[in-house]
């Protein structure tokens, strides 16, 4: 028993063998591991300092066994492994990777093996290398090689796929990008709407959301940026207070205030900073064409909605800069904004009006009067109070009354015994409180006092007339420069002075507000502009490049200025009558404005009742000639003016007589000069209004009726003055002509509809409005019509010639027939004579 136990105790179990060492080339390390080791060298340094020998010794030891005995046991194990390896070398086994397995009847799977015999040595060259058993090192090398090749092939395939993706993959990628972009766009829209609704619902609690909304105005997507700008516009229009925000000073910030005041200060400062950032963003985007329309619309809307708020000057500068833009949409928006600013001064108290007029004056000066007419025409929307001096008189009277009442009260109080002091002090405190409330109300409201209004009106008027006089002076200087450069008179100057027409209209409207010191210079300017260099003095400056309408406006403005300052002026207007007399013959319907000519007739001839008889007769004769040469509207205005002149100048009705000398009153000039330039020297009383006889046969019934009525006027009868003006007559004839054209188009439309009822195509064409008639098409049709008439006349002429030649031929045939028997008788007589002679 003891021996058996000793033997069992002596049985030693060795630990398993350590794995074989692998060469460094056979070890595969990933790039991530290398990167991790490089980044953490401080932590991996101990691996290089490990003692593998001592570790192996510690691992392979056995408890309770000497090292010598343990070494003998390990030696024995090594010999057994060597013997096993030698036995394996005698057998060649097929590599499982290259050979197919064989399944036995028992169900076991094994690979084909064979012994290394003499046949193998004999046929060593014939053995396939693929069925030879590989060592572990060779197997590892082979696997490593295959992995590298597979990895290389995978990279090449990935590169080719990246370079040349399929159409389906490209389409899928585009669809995914579109979907993601649409989702992001919708998400931003929802976020923007939520922020805006929250701000509109409770601005004070959500005032910080303005900064988030400003971030949308800086987005890379143009659609989101535009939506952000418009959303901020709606929010600012709603939450901006009705007063101008003043930020607290440093001393005010150091003072202790309540929580409500702090909250209000934070709200106002945040609102003002966000509004400033919004305006800076708008002004930065204004220079980009793709955002120009949106930015201008936002700026104009803000200026129209909150003209009292901070940074108004920046908005006004932007609007005035774009009021002369070449873009019709932008110019129209800016024009309407400035116009509403002038007409609704209750929003800003008139301060914005003064600033806008100054900016327009500077804008005209900078651009040298070369702007769109809307830039100056907007000044026509201004309104001035002519009765600003009257309240002063009333206030002075009220003050005098109050002083008298106070004296009476003091006198009565001195006579009466003294009242209760408490009651008196109470009344004084109530009066003080009323004064404080009135002062606060005045500070909050935008209605300035009389002195402030007078100051703003005087500044506005000075800026307006400064602009107007600058335009007149520029017109004179530029015209003289162009005449000196060209050396000849330019007849067509359309577009050379774009601001002259609105300037003259404004001078005519505000002529009663012009200072008397400047009226003399203004009349000289107007006279030279209307003369157009027709002065006989060679040293005088010649004004050219003006259209007929502009010259007529100069005459109209001169008469308006004269009538509005009739008490203080003594101006001879004969030169303007001479210009009107000559301009009537230079009128062209397609080039000039007939309404301006009708206005000149009304103001210069109809409204002025004191006319020289020679001058009135000259205008009557020239208007009759004018009515005979132009269209129905111009003829109607001329005949209305002519009739009014005949009604007011009874002696001029002698022109209606049929005497060769023009009646009993012929004047100092015995012969009429139709091409004379001065109406007083034309000798029109020596002529007869024979034009009325032709005008009574005019195709238009209104003109023929009026001409017949004028012809039947008698000098002995008192005629009833007609109330219609030349302007109204001109407009009525124009409207009648337009309605006639419309009715004519409607008749053609109805006839086309009746003819084409059978077909659906004709009905659809009849339902469509006819296009406007073009002049080229009308001229072509007229040309065809006259060519047809000419062909008809030519055919008639040729037919007449043909008839004449046919009749001549017929006569010739009859002559030949009559001549034949005579020739026969002559021949017979000749034959008889010959026979007798024989």
């Amino acid at each position: 028993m003891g021996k058996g136990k000793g033997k069992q105790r002596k049985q030693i179990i060795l630990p398993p063998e350590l794995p074989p060492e692998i060469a460094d080339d056979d070890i595969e390390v990933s790039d991530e591991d290398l990167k991790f080791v490089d980044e953490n060298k401080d932590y991996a340094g101990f691996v290089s300092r490990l003692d593998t020998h001592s570790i192996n010794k510690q691992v392979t030891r056995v408890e309770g066994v000497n090292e010598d005995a343990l070494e003998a046991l390990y030696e024995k194990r090594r010999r057994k492994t060597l013997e096993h390896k030698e036995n394996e070398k005698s057998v060649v086994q097929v590599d499982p990777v290259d050979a197919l397995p064989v399944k036995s009847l028992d169900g076991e799977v094994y690979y084909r093996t064979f012994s290394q015999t003499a046949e193998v040595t004999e046929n060593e060259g014939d053995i396939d290398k693929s069925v030879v058993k590989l060592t572990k090192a060779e197997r590892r090398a082979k696997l490593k090689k295959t992995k590298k090749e597979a990895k290389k092939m995978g990279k090449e395939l990935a590169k080719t796929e990246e370079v040349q993706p399929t159409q389906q993959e490209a389409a899928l990628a585009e669809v995914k990008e579109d979907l993601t972009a649409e989702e992001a766009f919708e998400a931003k829209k929802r976020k923007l709407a939520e922020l805006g609704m929250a701000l509109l619902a409770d601005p004070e609690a959500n005032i910080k959301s303005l900064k988030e909304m400003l971030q949308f105005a800086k987005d890379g997507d143009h659609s989101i940026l535009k939506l952000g700008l418009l959303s901020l516009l709606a929010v600012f229009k709603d939450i901006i207070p009705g007063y101008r925000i003043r930020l607290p000073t440093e001393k005010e910030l150091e003072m202790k205030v309540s929580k409500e005041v702090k909250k209000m200060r934070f709200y106002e400062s945040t609102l003002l900073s966000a509004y400033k950032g919004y305006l800076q963003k708008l002004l930065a985007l204004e220079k980009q064409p793709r955002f120009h329309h949106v930015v201008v619309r936002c700026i104009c809307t803000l200026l129209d909605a909150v003209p009292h708020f901070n940074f108004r000057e920046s908005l006004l500068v932007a609007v005035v800069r774009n009021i002369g833009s070449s873009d019709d949409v932008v110019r129209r928006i800016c024009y309407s904004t400035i116009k509403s600013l002038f007409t609704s001064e209750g929003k800003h108290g008139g301060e914005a009006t003064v600033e806008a007029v100054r900016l327009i004056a500077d804008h005209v000066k900078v651009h040298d009067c070369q702007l769109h007419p809307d830039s100056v025409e907007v000044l026509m929307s201004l309104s001035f109070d002519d009765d600003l001096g009257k309240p002063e008189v009333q206030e002075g009277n009220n003050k005098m009354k109050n002083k008298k009442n106070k004296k009476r009260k003091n006198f009565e109080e001195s006579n009466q015994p003294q009242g209760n002091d408490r009651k008196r002090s109470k009344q004084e405190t109530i009066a003080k409180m009323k004064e404080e409330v009135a002062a606060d109300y005045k500070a909050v409201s935008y209605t300035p006092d009389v002195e402030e209004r007078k100051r703003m009106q005087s500044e506005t008027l000075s800026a307006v007339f400064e602009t107007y006089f600058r335009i007149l002076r520029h017109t004179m200087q530029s015209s003289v420069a162009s005449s000196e450069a060209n050396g000849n008179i330019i007849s067509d100057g359309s577009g050379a002075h774009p601001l002259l027409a609105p300037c003259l209209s404004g001078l005519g409207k505000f002529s009663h507000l012009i200072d008397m010191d400047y009226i003399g210079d203004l009349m000289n300017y107007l006279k030279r502009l209307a003369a157009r260099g027709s002065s006989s003095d060679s040293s005088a400056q010649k004004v050219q490049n003006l259209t007929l309408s502009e010259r007529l406006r100069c005459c109209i403005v001169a008469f308006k200025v004269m009538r509005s300052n009739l008490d203080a002026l003594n101006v001879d207007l004969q030169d303007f009558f001479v210009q009107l007399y000559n301009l009537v013959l230079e009128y062209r319907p397609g080039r000039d404005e007939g309404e301006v000519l009708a206005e000149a007739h009304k103001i210069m001839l109809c409204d002025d009742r004191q006319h020289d008889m020679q001058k009135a007769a000259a205008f009557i004769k020239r208007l009759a000639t004018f009515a005979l040469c132009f269209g129905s509207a111009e003829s109607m205005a001329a005949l209305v003016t002519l009739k009014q002149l005949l009604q007011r100048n009874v002696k001029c009705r002698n022109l209606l007589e049929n005497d060769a000398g023009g009646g009993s009153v012929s004047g100092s000039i015995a012969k009429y000069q139709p091409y004379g330039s001065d109406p007083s020297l034309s000798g029109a009383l020596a002529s007869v209004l024979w034009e009325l006889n032709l005008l009574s046969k005019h195709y238009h019934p209104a003109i023929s009726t009026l001409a017949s009525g004028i012809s039947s006027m008698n000098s002995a009868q008192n005629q009833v003055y007609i109330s219609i003006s030349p302007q109204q007559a001109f407009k009525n004839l124009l409207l009648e002509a337009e309605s006639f054209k419309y009715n004519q188009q409607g008749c053609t439309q109805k006839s086309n509809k009746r003819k084409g009822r059978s077909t659906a195509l004709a009905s659809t064409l009849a339902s469509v409005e006819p296009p406007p008639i073009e002049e080229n098409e009308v001229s072509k049709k007229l040309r065809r019509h006259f060519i047809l008439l000419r062909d008809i006349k030519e055919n008639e002429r040729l037919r007449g010639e043909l008839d004449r030649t046919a009749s001549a031929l017929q006569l010739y045939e009859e002559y030949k027939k009559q001549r034949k028997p005579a020739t026969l008788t002559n021949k017979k007589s000749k034959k008889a004579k010959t026979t007798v002679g024989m």
Side-chain angles (χ1 to χ4, degrees), residues 114 259 309:
F114 57 94
K259 291 182 179 179
F309 199 58

mmCIF file of all heavy atoms in Angstrom, residues 114 259 309:
data_model
loop_
_atom_site.group_PDB
_atom_site.id
_atom_site.type_symbol
_atom_site.label_atom_id
_atom_site.label_comp_id
_atom_site.label_asym_id
_atom_site.label_seq_id
_atom_site.Cartn_x
_atom_site.Cartn_y
_atom_site.Cartn_z
ATOM 1 N N PHE A 114 -0.784 9.241 -49.295
ATOM 2 C CA PHE A 114 -0.049 8.085 -49.834
ATOM 3 C C PHE A 114 1.335 8.074 -49.234
ATOM 4 O O PHE A 114 1.856 9.122 -48.813
ATOM 5 C CB PHE A 114 0.015 8.136 -51.371
ATOM 6 C CG PHE A 114 0.641 9.402 -51.874
ATOM 7 C CD1 PHE A 114 2.002 9.432 -52.154
ATOM 8 C CD2 PHE A 114 -0.118 10.548 -52.078
ATOM 9 C CE1 PHE A 114 2.571 10.594 -52.617
ATOM 10 C CE2 PHE A 114 0.472 11.693 -52.545
ATOM 11 C CZ PHE A 114 1.818 11.715 -52.826
ATOM 12 N N LYS A 259 -37.676 95.723 -10.962
ATOM 13 C CA LYS A 259 -37.572 94.603 -11.906
ATOM 14 C C LYS A 259 -38.306 94.895 -13.205
ATOM 15 O O LYS A 259 -37.854 94.498 -14.285
ATOM 16 C CB LYS A 259 -38.129 93.345 -11.266
ATOM 17 C CG LYS A 259 -37.289 92.809 -10.116
ATOM 18 C CD LYS A 259 -37.892 91.521 -9.582
ATOM 19 C CE LYS A 259 -37.040 90.960 -8.436
ATOM 20 N NZ LYS A 259 -37.621 89.714 -7.887
ATOM 21 N N PHE A 309 -39.675 105.438 -35.885
ATOM 22 C CA PHE A 309 -38.779 104.618 -35.081
ATOM 23 C C PHE A 309 -37.320 104.952 -35.394
ATOM 24 O O PHE A 309 -37.014 105.740 -36.296
ATOM 25 C CB PHE A 309 -39.071 103.134 -35.350
ATOM 26 C CG PHE A 309 -38.545 102.215 -34.288
ATOM 27 C CD1 PHE A 309 -38.944 102.344 -32.969
ATOM 28 C CD2 PHE A 309 -37.638 101.228 -34.597
ATOM 29 C CE1 PHE A 309 -38.459 101.504 -31.992
ATOM 30 C CE2 PHE A 309 -37.150 100.374 -33.630
ATOM 31 C CZ PHE A 309 -37.562 100.522 -32.324
#
